[in-house]
């Protein structure tokens, strides 16, 4: 409910003071007073007085005037004559103006009556302006509070709730709701609600554009003001016993009006009193709707910036990672080149020594000793070379990067791995996978993982090798995932943690286990992971990024 | 058979090892460490049978492929000279290019260097180069004889 205005908000005390003084002068009376009608009851209270003589008089007179809605003349025998006029605006009596004459014989003429009447009405008319002013002041205060919230808060829900709360309060509604249009679905999503009576059912109700009052507002882009909704067939009853309804559209700024998406939502208020809202309420709600539009647009802008920020950050991380790998790759190739040059000469030199010595005459025991030492030199140097090869493997370029069909590479790896005896192979391939940018080393990686899976299942009763490929991800980043799953004994979490460790020895003793696989995949912007439980087999998942421009296709 | 061989290799140890190995086999060996030096020597040596080229001739420069450049120059300008490519960090791609585009005779990787294979490759290359040169001389001679006879007939 709109809060009842205080008497001094309705009547300007200075103006009333001048009214009562003029009444005394014009009518040549002894004194005058103005009584204010309490809007709640029929009681009247004096709010202005001039020179009222100290005479006891019947204080029920203003009340009776209000009830009678007309001028009353009374006499207090031997002491005073009284004339009282209702201060009325249309049919509404706002107060009573009374004049008192000390002469009990005083007869008020028609002129006196007309003058008093017009002065009382003047007070009523002025009060109406004051009332308007008071409402406008309250509205400006509310708008100011909302503006402060708008410019200081990034939480749209807080601002929208505040806007609605102020709207309900200022127009004296019982319910209010603020809905935002979802342009994709045409639904009007409830963004804020206020007032009593909201429950699970009413909260769940989501009208579409085209339903009820919302339809009218959305279609005409104009406010809807209805004094009695029960007479409007468009009205969708959400709350029982509602009579008045006012709704304004949320429209984008005037320069965007008329465009396809200028309609953002609706602000709707209801009251159980008939004719509860007027044009001034509509004006206010229009202003509030503008504030709501700003809040919604701010929120949308914020959201856009947020997602742009997230995207840029991801891109930057990707670029940094790529730079890091480039530097590491350069260092690795350079180091490999040096090691091969410096250590490669050792076995070659040793072989030359052996060759030279073979033509010389040397005692047998010395020859054996020399051969053994040359053997050690050669063996160890070759081991270092193999280690360097393993270490630099993930950085090796095997030809220019190309676009590869993962399904085909998996099949190739499976083929070169040879038959797995009694292993049942399940190929769960997604057709038309987008191709990924990588190198032929991927085949080696698939080979190694398939080989390991086969080896792990050697003692198992059930031997199933599942190769699975999927395209995943949204518009921003797309992936191809490859899963290599076995029904072997699996391993514990602790073992899984060590699996990618560089110091984990591989089966031939010189490699660095699965370290190179992880390094290679990560170098190409992907990820590799392993899930396993003792007794439940293990699944290796490789995730490879798809370049934005790659279309799904067959052969490269 | 003694051959005329040029070794281009920036690592002194490798240059000396390979050079020593081949001169002990009886070949005439010249060695260079840089692209410029190699070009100068190439201009001087007349009947070069074999060039042994390291692909990268500058340790610090990862993209250096001076050896490949020499290979292409030799393959275009010298019909008889054979080329054996050696590399410290061989990639399949370089190997393929050496063979396909420039008709390299053989390819050796330092990290898996096999001296006996190398000796055999050198021997084969030198023999091929010498054979081609001899055949060319012979056909030149025959062509020359024919010209002589033709001139006599038409005098």
């Amino acid at each position: 409910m709109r809060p009842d205005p205080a008497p001094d908000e309705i009547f300007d005390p200075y103006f009333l003071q001048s009214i009562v003084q003029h009444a005394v002068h014009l009518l040549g009376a002894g004194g005058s007073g103005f009584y204010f009608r309490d809007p709640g009851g029929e009681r009247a209270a004096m709010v202005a007085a001039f020179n009222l003589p100290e005479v006891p008089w019947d204080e029920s007179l203003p009340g009776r005037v209000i009830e009678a809605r007309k001028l009353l003349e009374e006499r207090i025998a031997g002491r005073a004559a009284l004339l009282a006029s209702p201060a009325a605006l249309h049919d509404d009596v706002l107060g009573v103006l009374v004049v008192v004459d000390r002469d009990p014989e005083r007869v008020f003429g028609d002129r006196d009556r007309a003058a008093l009447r017009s002065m009382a009405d003047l007070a009523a008319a002025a009060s109406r302006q004051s009332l308007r002013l008071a409402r406008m002041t309250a509205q400006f205060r509310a708008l100011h509070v909302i503006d402060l919230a708008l410019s200081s808060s990034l939480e749209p829900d807080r601002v929208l709730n505040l806007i609605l709360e102020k709207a309900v309060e200022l127009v004296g509604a019982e319910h209010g709701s603020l809905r935002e249009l979802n342009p994709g679905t045409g639904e009007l999503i409830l963004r804020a609600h206020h007032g009593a009576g909201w429950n699970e059912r009413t909260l769940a109700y989501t009208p579409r554009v085209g339903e009820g009052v919302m339809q009218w507002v959305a279609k005409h882009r104009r406010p809807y003001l209805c004094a009695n909704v029960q007479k409007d067939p468009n009205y969708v009853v959400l709350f029982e016993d509602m009579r008045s309804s006012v709704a304004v559209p949320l429209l984008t700024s005037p320069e965007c009006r008329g465009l396809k998406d200028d309609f953002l939502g609706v602000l709707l208020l209801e009251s159980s009193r008939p004719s509860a809202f007027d044009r001034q309420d509509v004006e206010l709600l229009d202003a509030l709707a503008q504030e709501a539009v700003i809040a919604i647009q701010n929120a949308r802008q914020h959201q856009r910036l947020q997602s742009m920020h997230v995207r840029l950050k991801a891109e930057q991380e990707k670029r940094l990672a790529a730079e890091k790998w480039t530097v590491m790759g350069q260092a690795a190739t350079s180091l490999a080149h040096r090691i091969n040059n410096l250590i490669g000469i050792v076995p070659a030199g040793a072989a030359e020594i052996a060759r030279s010595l073979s033509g010389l005459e040397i005692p047998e025991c010395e020859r054996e000793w020399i051969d053994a030492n040359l053997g050690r030199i050669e063996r160890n140097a070759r081991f270092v070379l193999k280690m360097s090869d393993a270490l630099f493997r993930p950085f090796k370029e095997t030809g220019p990067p190309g676009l590869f069909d993962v399904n085909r590479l998996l099949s190739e790896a499976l083929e070169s791995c040879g038959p797995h005896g009694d292993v049942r192979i399940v190929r769960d391939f997604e057709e038309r996978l987008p191709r990924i940018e990588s190198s032929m080393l991927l085949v080696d990686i698939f080979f190694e993982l398939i080989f390991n899976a086969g080896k792990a299942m050697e003692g198992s009763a059930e031997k199933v090798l599942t190769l699975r490929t999927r395209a995943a991800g949204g518009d921003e980043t797309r992936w191809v995932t490859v899963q290599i799953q076995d029904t072997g004994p699996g391993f514990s979490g602790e073992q899984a943690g060590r699996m990618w460790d560089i110091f984990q020895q591989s089966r031939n003793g010189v490699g660095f286990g699965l370290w190179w696989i992880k390094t290679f995949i990560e170098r190409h912007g992907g990820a590799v992971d392993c899930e396993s439980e003792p007794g439940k087999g293990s699944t290796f998942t490789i995730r490879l990024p798809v370049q934005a421009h790659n279309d799904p296709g067959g052969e490269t | 058979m003694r051959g005329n061989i040029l070794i281009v290799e920036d690592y002194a140890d490798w240059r000396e090892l390979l050079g020593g190995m081949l001169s002990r086999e009886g070949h005439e060996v010249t060695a260079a460490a840089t692209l410029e030096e190699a070009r100068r020597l190439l201009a001087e040596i007349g009947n070069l049978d074999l060039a042994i080229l390291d692909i990268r001739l500058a340790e610090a420069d990862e993209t250096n492929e001076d050896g490949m450049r020499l290979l292409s120059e030799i393959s275009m300008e010298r019909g008889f000279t054979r080329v054996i490519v050696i590399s410290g960090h061989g990639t399949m791609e370089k190997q393929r290019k050496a063979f396909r585009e420039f008709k390299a005779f053989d390819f050796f990787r330092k990290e898996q260097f096999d001296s006996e294979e190398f000796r055999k490759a050198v021997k084969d290359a030198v023999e091929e180069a010498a054979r081609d040169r001899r055949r060319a001389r012979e056909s030149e001679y025959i062509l020359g004889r024919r010209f002589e006879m033709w001139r006599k007939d038409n005098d």
Side-chain angles (χ1 to χ4, degrees):
Chain A
M1 288 291 286
R2 194 174 0 233
D4 286 324
D8 64 344
E9 271 187 311
I10 301 179
F11 297 107
D12 180 356
Y14 295 103
F15 183 75
L16 284 184
Q17 198 58 43
S18 119
I19 289 275
V20 286
Q21 281 182 21
H22 276 84
V24 169
H25 292 311
L26 273 174
L27 273 73
S32 171
F34 192 88
Y35 289 78
F36 167 67
R37 178 192 168 194
D38 183 353
E42 297 301 303
R43 229 172 50 80
M46 190 172 74
V47 287
F50 179 69
N51 215 14
L52 263 192
E54 297 279 329
V55 279
W57 58 294
D58 187 357
E59 295 207 25
S60 69
L61 177 63
R64 280 182 282 123
V65 171
I66 290 166
E67 209 168 304
R69 296 171 175 268
K70 61 176 191 184
L71 276 163
L72 290 181
E73 190 180 342
E74 278 186 4
R75 230 165 275 280
I76 304 168
R79 308 193 65 167
L82 296 104
L83 184 65
S85 166
L89 195 69
H90 309 302
D91 288 339
D92 209 7
V93 178
L94 299 174
V96 178
L97 180 60
V98 182
V99 285
V100 182
D101 200 317
R102 284 174 182 278
D103 176 9
E105 300 307 317
R106 166 82 188 257
V107 177
F108 294 105
D110 283 345
R111 237 184 118 251
D112 294 331
R113 289 167 179 269
L116 192 66
R117 179 95 206 206
S118 66
M119 288 183 72
D121 286 350
L122 194 64
S127 79
R128 200 175 99 112
Q129 290 304 321
S130 300
L131 202 60
R132 269 180 67 99
L133 215 64
R135 262 174 86 183
M136 277 168 74
T137 310
Q139 289 170 4
F140 278 126
R141 281 205 191 107
L143 285 173
H144 177 64
V145 169
I146 290 165
D147 276 339
L148 278 181
L150 254 184
S151 56
S152 63
S153 173
L154 276 175
E155 303 157 61
D157 287 342
R158 201 177 87 78
V159 178
L160 293 179
N161 271 303
L162 179 69
I163 289 171
L164 187 65
E165 185 194 315
K166 292 288 173 196
V168 167
E169 188 184 306
L170 288 171
V171 304
E174 274 145 71
H175 302 291
S177 55
L178 199 155
R179 294 180 184 274
E180 184 184 349
L181 173 72
N182 178 341
T185 60
E187 284 174 334
L188 287 157
I189 311 290
L190 187 68
R191 289 298 303 269
H193 60 278
H194 195 79
W198 287 95
N199 56 31
E200 218 168 288
R201 180 185 64 86
T202 49
L203 284 172
Y205 172 70
T206 301
R208 304 173 73 84
V209 169
E211 269 176 27
V213 168
M214 310 280 183
Q215 175 190 30
W216 195 93
V217 172
K219 189 178 165 197
H220 294 89
R221 306 277 200 271
R222 273 204 284 134
Y224 167 90
L225 179 62
C226 186
N228 192 348
V229 290
Q230 290 177 332
K231 290 179 185 162
D232 185 345
N234 272 335
Y235 186 75
V236 175
V237 177
L238 197 55
F239 295 97
E240 300 293 334
D241 306 325
M242 288 299 117
R243 291 293 180 276
S244 316
S245 175
V246 60
V248 293
L250 306 186
L251 299 172
T252 52
S253 58
E255 55 265 32
C256 298
R257 294 267 164 94
L259 295 177
K260 206 173 124 254
D261 50 358
D262 66 339
F263 177 77
L264 295 185
V266 185
L267 176 61
L268 175 82
L269 298 161
E270 291 172 317
S271 170
S272 58
R273 288 174 293 133
S275 308
F277 311 117
D278 58 16
R279 300 294 321 164
Q280 204 187 341
D281 289 330
V282 172
E283 272 172 37
L284 168 72
L285 292 179
D286 250 340
L288 290 176
Q290 277 307 307
E291 304 276 18
V293 165
I294 294 170
I296 288 172
Q297 285 178 331
N298 279 352
R300 288 182 179 179
Q301 187 69 16
H302 182 67
Q303 209 171 11
R304 266 198 296 276
L305 286 174
Q306 190 67 30
S307 73
M308 200 186 286
H309 174 70
V310 167
R311 207 168 52 236
L312 281 175
K313 216 172 134 186
E315 265 171 31
Q316 194 189 19
E317 270 166 21
K318 234 160 96 180
R319 210 184 54 236
L320 280 176
E323 273 171 22
K324 188 187 91 181
W325 283 118
T326 307
V327 170
M328 274 183 82
Q330 281 169 353
T333 6
S334 168
L335 203 56
H337 186 252
R338 289 192 90 135
I339 289 174
N340 291 344
N341 265 297
L342 296 171
I343 306 297
I345 203 159
V346 175
E352 286 309 297
I353 295 173
R355 198 169 189 275
S356 300
L357 289 178
S358 67
L360 299 177
E361 211 166 293
I362 300 171
E364 196 52 36
C365 61
E366 279 303 304
R367 179 175 298 282
E368 272 175 21
W369 178 234
I370 291 169
D371 284 348
N373 278 318
L374 285 176
R376 274 191 282 276
I377 289 172
E378 189 179 336
R379 221 171 30 251
N380 282 287
R382 290 215 187 277
F383 191 81
V384 171
L385 290 168
K386 268 171 106 174
M387 247 166 55
S388 129
D389 185 54
L391 198 53
F392 299 120
R393 198 172 175 195
F395 301 101
K396 204 176 260 182
E397 295 303 341
T398 52
L403 292 178
F404 293 96
D405 175 9
V406 169
N407 288 344
R408 221 185 71 193
L409 296 189
L410 259 182
S411 300
E412 267 177 42
L414 184 66
E415 224 169 88
S416 52
C417 231
H420 279 74
D422 51 350
V423 174
R424 188 161 67 84
I425 291 161
V426 179
R427 287 174 201 238
D428 180 9
F429 289 176
E430 182 166 320
E431 298 288 319
R432 289 180 64 74
L433 275 184
R435 286 179 306 226
I436 54 121
E437 207 174 291
S438 187
S439 86
M440 284 300 286
L441 266 181
L442 261 188
V443 179
D444 291 6
I445 285 172
F446 294 154
F447 179 93
E448 187 148 342
L449 292 177
I450 292 171
F451 183 90
N452 289 348
K455 218 166 157 54
M457 290 188 289
E458 267 170 9
S460 303
E462 198 201 4
K463 299 179 181 182
V464 184
L465 173 70
T466 309
L467 304 178
R468 192 175 294 116
T469 60
R470 290 285 182 273
D475 296 336
E476 300 275 317
T477 43
R478 286 192 296 157
W479 306 91
V480 167
T481 59
V482 179
Q483 284 192 324
I484 295 167
Q485 187 177 6
D486 66 52
T487 53
F491 38 80
S492 66
E494 194 198 343
Q495 284 172 300
R498 282 204 311 268
M499 178 179 301
W500 311 104
D501 208 345
I502 190 166
F503 298 113
Q504 213 49 27
Q505 291 270 299
S506 76
R507 59 181 187 281
N508 55 16
V510 288
F512 295 98
L514 300 178
W515 168 83
W516 83 274
I517 293 181
K518 189 176 169 67
T519 308
F520 178 85
I521 298 286
E522 285 177 0
R523 193 184 149 211
H524 284 79
V528 58
D529 197 15
C530 179
E531 271 177 63
S532 183
E533 256 180 74
K536 294 197 173 165
S538 47
T539 307
F540 284 82
T541 306
I542 297 176
R543 206 167 62 148
L544 297 158
V546 176
Q547 264 60 39
H549 49 84
N550 291 356
D551 300 318
E555 297 298 291
T556 313
Chain B
M1 182 181 288
R2 286 173 52 129
N4 216 351
I5 301 173
L6 172 68
I7 296 174
V8 187
E9 163 67 62
D10 61 326
Y11 269 84
D13 278 349
W14 276 99
R15 202 164 59 232
E16 283 159 18
L17 177 77
L18 298 178
M21 197 191 283
L22 298 179
S23 50
R24 287 160 83 92
E25 296 281 309
H27 299 293
E28 188 69 39
V29 179
T30 322
T34 64
L35 178 68
E36 293 72 32
E37 212 181 330
R39 280 183 177 147
R40 193 172 51 74
L41 288 173
L42 274 170
E44 281 172 16
I45 304 167
N47 287 334
L48 186 65
D49 297 307
L50 171 64
I52 294 165
L53 309 175
D54 183 17
I55 290 181
R56 194 203 290 190
L57 290 179
E59 174 52 45
D61 181 6
E62 201 203 342
T63 57
N64 182 287
E65 286 192 7
D66 281 350
M68 288 297 273
R69 206 182 301 176
L70 272 176
L71 170 61
S72 78
E73 286 170 16
I74 292 171
S75 80
M76 277 191 291
E77 293 162 17
R78 294 174 172 247
F80 305 120
T81 306
R82 296 299 188 270
V83 176
I84 290 176
V85 176
I86 50 175
S87 165
H89 190 60
T91 71
M92 285 286 284
E93 205 45 32
K94 277 183 200 159
Q95 226 168 17
R96 249 186 95 223
K97 197 172 164 193
F99 282 109
R100 277 179 64 103
E101 285 185 35
F102 306 124
K103 310 276 179 285
F105 187 80
D106 212 338
F107 191 98
F108 285 86
R109 292 167 64 172
K110 287 177 185 167
E111 68 267 34
Q112 292 168 2
F113 194 78
D114 185 325
S115 320
E116 291 314 313
E117 281 291 313
F118 183 70
R119 279 195 174 83
K120 192 176 169 303
V122 169
K123 184 170 163 280
D124 292 349
V126 167
E127 277 173 9
E128 264 196 28
R131 190 194 60 211
D132 282 3
R133 192 170 286 118
R134 195 177 59 240
R135 280 188 189 160
R137 246 196 327 267
E138 282 168 6
S139 67
E140 229 171 77
Y141 175 75
I142 291 166
L143 279 174
R145 288 283 296 166
R146 279 193 190 143
F147 179 69
E148 287 287 309
M149 285 156 71
W150 175 82
R151 212 174 53 178
K152 267 182 195 161
D153 291 347
N154 289 280
D155 263 345

